[in-house]
Amino acid sequence: MVGPVNGGVMLQFDFFTWLAGIPDWIYGILQWIINLVLGVFYWAWGIIEWLWAMVFSPANFMFLFRAVLFPGLIFVVLTLIWAVWFTRKLWGRIQDRRGPFHIGKYGGLQLFADAIKLIGKETIIPDNAKRWMFRFLPCLLLVVVLLPFCFIPWDFDFWYISDLSVSLVLVFAFLTAVPVVSLLAGWVSGCKYSLIGGFRAANNQFAAEIPMIVSSAGPAMLAGSLSLMGIAQAQTSVWFAVVLPVNLATFLIAAIASVGVFPFDAPVADSEIIFGWRTEFTGIYFTLTYFAEFAEQMLYSAIIVALFLGGPVGLPFLPGAVNFTIKFIITFFFFVLVSSSFQRLRQDQIVHYCWRYLLPLALLNVIFAMLAIVYLPELAALLPLGGP
Amino acid sequence: MSPNILDEAIDVWFGPQHVSAHGWATKLTLVGDYIVKCDPNAGYFHRSAEKVLEYRTFRQGSLVMERMCMLEAFLAEYPYVAAVEKIAELEVPDRAKVMRTIMMELSRLHSIQFWWGQFNAELGFFTMALWPWVDREYSLDAFEELTGSRHTVSFSTPGGTRFDFNEKVLKQINRAVKRFEDRLPKFRDMQMGSPTFRARTKGIGQYTAKQGLKWGLSGPPIKACGIPMDLRKDAPDSNLAYNLCDWEVPITENPDHPGESDALDRMEQRFKEAETSVEIIKQLLPQLPEGPIIDAKARAKVNRLPAGEAYGRVEGTRGITSLWLKTQDKAQSAYRAKIRGPCFASYYALKDLVPGAKFADFIVIFGSLDPYPGWWDR
C-alpha cells in the first residue's frame, strides 16, 4: 500500500500487507450486510409489534371491526346496495310494474350485475372537461357522503363508531359540501347542461338548508346537546317526534329537497337538462354519483331516526342497533314514497316553498315546544333539560 | 350587466340528442334562466313520406300514412283513404263506417292515454306516466286482435275496411272502455288535484284563441281556449258515422282568463276529449249493423284512378289532419300528395309562445301542445 501506515509513510506498495487485509475487509462487508438485514428485520418487527398492539388488542380490534364491518363501511355499502334494490322494487310496485326480478331471488343481485356492467363500460371524458377534476370529484362526492355515517348512533353502548360533542354540526358541514361538489362537477364537465344542473344543485341546497337546520335545532335545544348521540340519549322517555311532529315533516321534506330526488329533482331533471350535472359522467364515475345520491338519502334517514325517532330506543327485547335499523328502513320508505308521488317542482318554486312554508313551520314548532315545556311540567319532566 | 342582455346569452340546443327530444331539435337562447329566443328546427325526423306516396299504389298509400303517427294510426291513415274514395267515387258500407268510427275514437283514446303518460314523465312524475300506459295496453290488445298488429294497423282501405270485428274484438273494446271509465276518477284526482301539477302548469304557455288561430293551431290546443272547433261536427264526413250518435264538442274555459288556455286547461281538455271518445264508442257499439265491410267494386276501381283532385281530412288527436291528393288519368299512384300535419303549426307556435318563459317550463309548454315529430317532418 502506498500512504501512511503504522506511523510511517509507506512509499512502496506492500503486496503482502494488502493481502493480509482482505479477510478484514470481507468481514467488514459481511458485518455491514448483517447489520442492514438485522436493522430491517427489527424495523419490520417493530411495525408488526406496533400493529399487533394497535389492532389486536381487544379495544382497538373492536374499534376497527366497528369502523370497517358492522356499523361502518361494509355495512353502509351493503345497505346502500339494498337501498337501491328497495327503491327500484318499491317504485315498481307503486307504478304498476314488477321492478327487477330476473337476477337473483326477487332481483336481489340485479344491483351487482348493474355495478359490474357500469364499471365495465368505457369511461368517456369530454374534450372540454378538466380531466383531473372530472376524475376526482365523483370519488370526493362519495367520500364526503359516506364519512358522516361514523357519527350515527346505531346503539348507545358499543355499537357506534364515534361520538363528538358537535357531531350534528359536523355532519351538516360535510353535507353542505355535496352541492359544492355538484356545482364543481357541472363546471368542469365542459357542458352547458351540466353547468345548469350544477347551479340548480346549489340552488336546491340554498333553499333547503335553512329549514333543515332550523328543524334540527328543535331536537338539539330540547336535548341540550349538539351531539347526535346526546340527542338520541335524550329521547329515552319521549321521542322528539311527539313534541316536534312538524319539525319531523319539515326536516324530511327539506332533506328530500337537499338530496334532489323526485319532486325536487331539478338538478338532474332528465326531461329538461338531460341528467343535470351528471350528464357527462359515464361508467364508474356515474356509478359513484349514483351511489352517492342513495347514500345521501340513507344518511338523512339515519339522521331523522337519531333526531326525532328516538335513535336506538324502541322495542326493549331487541338490540338497539336492530331497533335503529327498523326505524331507518321505515324512514327510508317515506323517501321512496314521496319521490314517486309528485310532479317535479321548478327551481324557483323549490326556494319559494322551502322558505315560505317550511321555514316558518319549523320555527313555529320550536316555539310551541318551548311554550309546552314552560306550561306543561309533566312534559318537561320527561326531558333532560339543562343537558344530560 | 351589460346594456344589451343578449351579450350574456347562451345558446342551448334542445335536441336532437336530448332525452326528451325524440327526433327534433330546438335552439334556445337563454339569458339567466329565461328563454329569450326559441328557434324550432324541423327536418330531423324527415322520412320523405310525400315522395314515397308518389311511388305507392292507392291501396298501399294508407300504409305509409299510418306510419306518420303510429299513436293515432287509425286516424292518420284516414285522410288518404278519404281522398282516394272521393276520386274513385266509392260507396262505403254502413258496417265499415261504424267500425271505422269506433276504431278511430279508440285510437284517439289510446293516443291521449299515451300523451298523459308522456307529459307526466316530462314533468318528472313517472308513476302517473306508467298508469295510463297500462290502460293503453287494453286498447292495443283490441288493435292486435283486430288487425294483428299493435301499431301499424292498416285498418281502413279505400272502399271500406280490411278487417271485420269479431266477438273477441268487441269484448276487448268494451274492456278498454270499462278500464278507462273505472280509472278516470282516480286519474282526474291525481292529475288535476295534484298541487305540484297545478304549480307547474297554471299560467304556463298561455295564449289567447286569436293567437292560437293565427298560428294555425287546431284540435285540443284551440278547444282548450273555449272555441268548439271540431271537424267531426263542423264538416261531418259521409263515410264516417259521427251523425249516428249524440255528443257535444268538448271545450274548456279558463276560469281566470276567458278565451285563453294554459297548460292546465290543455290537460283538462284532454280529459274531456277522452271522455267524449268513450261516449261515442259506447253509443256506436250497439248500432253496429251487419253486412259487408268493403265496397265490392273497390278493388277494381282503386287499381287505376281517373284524373282528379281530392282533399281528405279528419279531426285527429292533435288537430286537423288532412291530405291533398292529385292523380292523373289511369294512374296507379298519386301524382302529388301533400300532407298537412297538425303539429307543424303547434311546433312553430313555440317560436312566439316560448320567449319569456323559464327554461324549466319549455318542456311543459312543448308537451302541453302534444306535438309529434312525425307530423311536422313529412
Side-chain angles (χ1 to χ4, degrees):
Chain A
M1 268 191 192
V2 183
V5 172
N6 296 334
V9 175
M10 181 177 275
L11 300 173
Q12 192 181 346
F13 176 70
D14 186 343
F15 175 73
F16 295 102
T17 313
W18 177 80
L19 206 62
I22 285 179
D24 284 350
W25 178 70
I26 292 174
Y27 180 71
I29 289 176
L30 282 177
Q31 235 174 6
W32 177 77
I33 290 173
I34 287 169
N35 279 338
L36 192 68
V37 170
L38 279 181
V40 170
F41 176 76
Y42 282 123
W43 179 71
W45 180 248
I47 286 179
I48 290 170
E49 272 189 327
W50 177 79
L51 267 182
W52 187 265
M54 285 298 290
V55 178
F56 294 101
S57 77
N60 287 336
F61 176 76
M62 286 320 288
F63 175 77
L64 271 186
F65 182 85
R66 290 196 304 260
V68 177
L69 281 176
F70 171 53
L73 191 65
I74 304 281
F75 172 69
V76 169
V77 170
L78 285 178
T79 317
L80 182 60
I81 288 170
W82 171 84
V84 180
W85 173 84
F86 182 68
T87 306
R88 289 181 61 180
K89 206 73 184 166
L90 203 59
W91 274 357
R93 293 292 160 175
I94 292 169
Q95 296 169 353
D96 263 5
R97 56 193 176 87
R98 296 177 64 183
F101 63 92
H102 274 298
I103 301 174
K105 193 83 173 163
Y106 305 113
L109 298 177
Q110 181 68 43
L111 245 291
F112 294 97
D114 280 354
I116 291 166
K117 179 201 74 179
L118 282 169
I119 290 166
K121 278 191 172 182
E122 185 190 358
T123 304
I124 301 164
I125 302 181
D127 279 352
N128 288 338
K130 311 262 185 299
R131 293 179 70 83
W132 284 104
M133 284 306 272
F134 189 86
R135 289 176 175 146
F136 171 65
L137 285 171
C139 317
L140 180 68
L141 181 67
L142 193 61
V143 169
V144 162
V145 173
L146 286 181
L147 268 181
F149 274 99
C150 66
F151 300 116
I152 299 298
W154 298 91
D155 201 353
F156 288 144
D157 46 353
F158 196 70
W159 289 115
Y160 64 93
I161 299 169
S162 66
D163 175 27
L164 270 187
S165 58
V166 288
S167 57
L168 184 64
V169 180
L170 195 61
V171 166
F172 280 125
F174 274 118
L175 287 173
T176 309
V178 172
V180 179
V181 175
S182 309
L183 179 55
L184 276 176
W187 183 269
V188 303
S189 289
C191 166
K192 285 170 190 168
Y193 292 111
S194 300
L195 186 60
I196 293 170
F199 280 120
R200 286 186 179 191
N203 175 67
N204 260 25
Q205 185 75 359
F206 177 68
E209 197 169 34
I210 299 172
M212 188 158 63
I213 289 177
V214 170
S215 307
S216 68
M221 283 199 276
L222 288 186
S225 164
L226 276 175
S227 138
L228 282 171
M229 177 62 85
I231 292 170
Q233 277 167 345
Q235 304 178 54
T236 38
S237 40
V238 58
W239 293 1
F240 288 157
V242 179
V243 192
L244 302 162
V246 181
N247 269 4
L248 171 60
T250 50
F251 191 93
L252 180 71
I253 296 168
I256 294 171
S258 177
V259 178
V261 287
F262 255 115
F264 303 97
D265 71 331
V268 289
D270 51 351
S271 62
E272 294 161 16
I273 47 173
I274 307 185
F275 215 45
W277 56 272
R278 285 188 234 163
T279 302
E280 297 291 347
F281 287 120
T282 48
I284 182 71
Y285 300 128
F286 175 78
T287 319
L288 291 177
T289 56
Y290 184 70
F291 277 3
E293 181 187 298
F294 281 93
E296 212 185 339
Q297 287 182 53
M298 280 165 50
L299 181 62
Y300 279 121
S301 307
I303 292 174
I304 285 171
V305 174
L307 288 184
F308 296 100
L309 300 178
V313 180
L315 299 172
F317 52 89
L318 285 176
V322 176
N323 274 327
F324 194 104
T325 314
I326 291 170
K327 283 184 275 188
F328 167 78
I329 290 171
I330 293 170
T331 317
F332 190 76
F333 169 78
F334 279 97
F335 268 81
V336 182
L337 196 65
V338 171
S339 66
S340 61
S341 310
F342 294 102
Q343 274 90 356
R344 177 187 305 129
L345 285 167
R346 212 168 51 214
Q347 58 272 26
D348 58 320
Q349 289 168 340
I350 294 173
V351 180
H352 178 85
Y353 285 129
C354 283
W355 287 9
R356 180 136 179 214
Y357 300 112
L358 293 191
L359 186 57
L361 277 174
L363 275 173
L364 270 181
N365 200 194
V366 174
I367 293 166
F368 273 120
M370 295 299 150
L371 290 176
I373 287 167
V374 173
Y375 291 105
L376 294 173
E378 298 86 1
L379 180 67
L382 293 172
L383 299 166
L385 293 169
Chain B
M1 193 81 185
S2 60
N4 184 5
I5 58 164
L6 288 177
D7 290 348
E8 302 189 349
I10 58 168
D11 287 344
V12 174
W13 273 94
F14 210 92
Q17 271 88 25
H18 197 290
V19 279
S20 47
H22 27 84
W24 49 275
T26 309
K27 194 166 109 181
L28 301 174
T29 307
L30 302 180
V31 172
D33 202 28
Y34 289 89
I35 300 169
V36 293
K37 201 178 149 203
C38 172
D39 182 13
N41 284 271
Y44 284 86
F45 205 56
H46 201 278
R47 291 167 297 177
S48 312
E50 288 176 358
K51 197 70 187 165
V52 172
L53 283 177
E54 294 172 16
Y55 292 91
R56 293 281 172 263
T57 63
F58 294 109
R59 271 200 298 281
Q60 291 169 339
S62 65
L63 273 67
V64 177
M65 280 298 286
E66 80 196 2
R67 281 164 176 75
M68 298 300 294
C69 180
M70 297 214 282
L71 299 175
E72 42 172 358
F74 289 96
L75 289 154
E77 69 187 357
Y78 185 69
Y80 187 87
V81 172
V84 173
E85 277 167 1
K86 274 182 197 164
I87 296 176
E89 292 164 356
L90 294 172
E91 285 295 318
V92 180
D94 285 344
R95 186 173 171 83
K97 286 180 190 173
V98 176
M99 282 200 300
R100 269 181 188 178
T101 316
I102 290 172
M103 289 323 283
M104 276 160 64
E105 290 307 315
L106 197 61
S107 186
R108 190 190 311 276
L109 174 66
H110 151 251
S111 184
I112 289 172
Q113 279 170 338
F114 184 85
W115 175 81
W116 279 342
Q118 197 190 351
F119 191 47
N120 278 298
E122 280 161 357
L123 281 166
F125 186 21
F126 213 64
T127 306
M128 194 56 201
L130 288 171
W131 285 11
W133 287 352
V134 170
D135 298 0
R136 175 177 157 260
E137 290 295 316
Y138 288 73
S139 308
L140 288 173
D141 284 348
F143 298 170
E144 192 179 3
E145 182 61 33
L146 176 63
T147 67
S149 173
R150 281 157 61 90
H151 283 112
T152 48
V153 290
S154 321
F155 181 63
S156 296
T157 191
T161 63
R162 277 195 175 83
F163 308 100
D164 198 359
F165 281 2
N166 57 28
E167 283 303 312
K168 202 170 171 189
V169 174
L170 289 172
K171 208 170 119 192
Q172 274 172 344
I173 294 172
N174 277 320
R175 257 178 77 204
V177 167
K178 188 166 181 310
R179 173 82 176 182
F180 170 78
E181 289 190 325
D182 286 350
R183 305 247 287 186
L184 183 67
K186 194 160 98 179
F187 279 10
R188 200 182 262 279
D189 188 33
M190 274 184 71
Q191 195 76 60
M192 307 307 286
S194 163
T196 51
F197 179 71
R198 297 185 80 87
R200 277 314 292 276
T201 53
K202 184 89 185 141
I204 299 300
Q206 190 160 337
Y207 55 81
T208 61
K210 201 176 163 189
Q211 275 177 308
L213 291 171
K214 194 189 89 187
W215 292 328
L217 299 185
S218 52
I222 211 76
K223 280 184 260 184
C225 295
I227 296 182
M229 192 176 94
D230 195 318
L231 275 187
R232 293 175 287 180
K233 275 275 190 223
D234 297 344
D237 195 322
S238 59
N239 290 337
L240 296 176
Y242 285 114
N243 51 352
L244 292 182
C245 46
D246 176 33
W247 58 283
E248 290 292 321
V249 176
I251 53 166
T252 306
E253 285 288 347
N254 191 324
D256 303 327
H257 306 276
E260 300 190 22
S261 83
D262 54 17
L264 188 64
D265 295 331
R266 296 196 275 280
M267 173 56 86
E268 176 66 30
Q269 176 64 28
R270 263 29 174 265
F271 273 106
K272 289 179 179 169
E273 293 272 333
E275 280 173 330
T276 311
S277 289
V278 164
E279 199 186 317
I280 291 172
I281 294 171
K282 279 166 68 183
Q283 288 186 25
L284 283 181
L285 274 176
Q287 301 187 39
L288 188 66
E290 291 298 323
I293 59 166
I294 189 162
D295 187 353
K297 283 179 264 173
R299 180 167 283 269
K301 275 187 177 173
V302 171
N303 269 344
R304 290 189 184 274
L305 288 194
E309 283 180 33
Y311 185 62
R313 57 185 176 175
V314 69
E315 176 75 21
T317 315
R318 292 160 179 78
I320 295 169
T321 310
S322 57
L323 178 133
W324 174 81
L325 189 73
K326 184 178 169 68
T327 55
Q328 287 176 322
D329 199 18
K330 292 184 181 172
Q332 279 185 310
S333 54
Y335 175 70
R336 178 81 172 93
K338 174 78 181 79
I339 303 164
R340 191 269 182 203
C343 297
F344 189 83
S346 54
Y347 186 41
Y348 276 84
L350 294 177
K351 201 167 184 167
D352 291 340
L353 189 53
V354 164
K358 291 203 166 84
F359 183 45
D361 285 333
F362 171 72
I363 193 68
V364 180
I365 298 171
F366 179 86
S368 70
L369 293 171
D370 192 10
Y372 188 85
W375 278 131
W376 70 71
D377 282 339
R378 278 98 53 176

